[in-house]
Amino acid sequence: MSDEVWDAGLQLERTRLAWQRTSLAMMSAGLIIARIVGHHEIGLGVVIAAAVVIIAGATGVASTRRYRRTNRHLHDDAPLTGGVVHLLMTLAFLVVAAGGVTFTLLLAGG
């Protein structure tokens, strides 16, 4: 595999950076929700925080692996594969959304 840049516009690099920013934003939102929920239910807040950190971290790792694999496949003129990053971000979104709903229910009931 060549170390040269595949495309002049650096689309792969921009996509990788976008996934990393999205992962960090999702982690931030999840930790905020976990803190808010943890104010009412400490155990649930810890579970939400742990889930979001693990999923967002896995998304960061998966996006780096996806970048390397895609770069290699483009240089080798091979078909592109993968969708793990999308699945992980969907899971992170669902955890954050569930935390928001939980907070709303706790606030309404408390």
Side-chain angles (χ1 to χ4, degrees):
M1 181 175 104
S2 171
D3 286 337
E4 71 184 48
V5 174
W6 173 255
D7 60 280
L10 301 174
Q11 285 86 358
L12 286 177
E13 289 79 4
R14 288 195 319 259
T15 301
R16 177 180 172 205
L17 290 171
W19 275 114
Q20 288 177 340
R21 283 190 307 270
T22 303
S23 176
L24 288 172
M26 187 59 68
M27 186 183 304
S28 299
L31 291 175
I32 290 168
I33 290 292
R35 174 64 178 101
I36 292 170
V37 169
H39 181 70
H40 298 283
E41 293 288 332
I42 188 71
L44 188 56
V46 169
V47 168
I48 291 171
V52 166
V53 167
I54 290 168
I55 294 169
T59 301
V61 170
S63 68
T64 299
R65 293 179 73 193
R66 182 174 191 241
Y67 164 78
R68 290 180 182 150
R69 183 179 58 246
T70 300
N71 193 36
R72 185 177 60 247
H73 285 205
L74 287 173
H75 277 78
D76 296 342
D77 200 25
L80 301 177
T81 61
V84 173
V85 177
H86 302 93
L87 175 64
L88 290 170
M89 193 48 58
T90 300
L91 288 174
F93 174 78
L94 291 174
V95 168
V96 170
V101 168
T102 301
F103 171 69
T104 303
L105 294 174
L106 287 172
L107 192 63

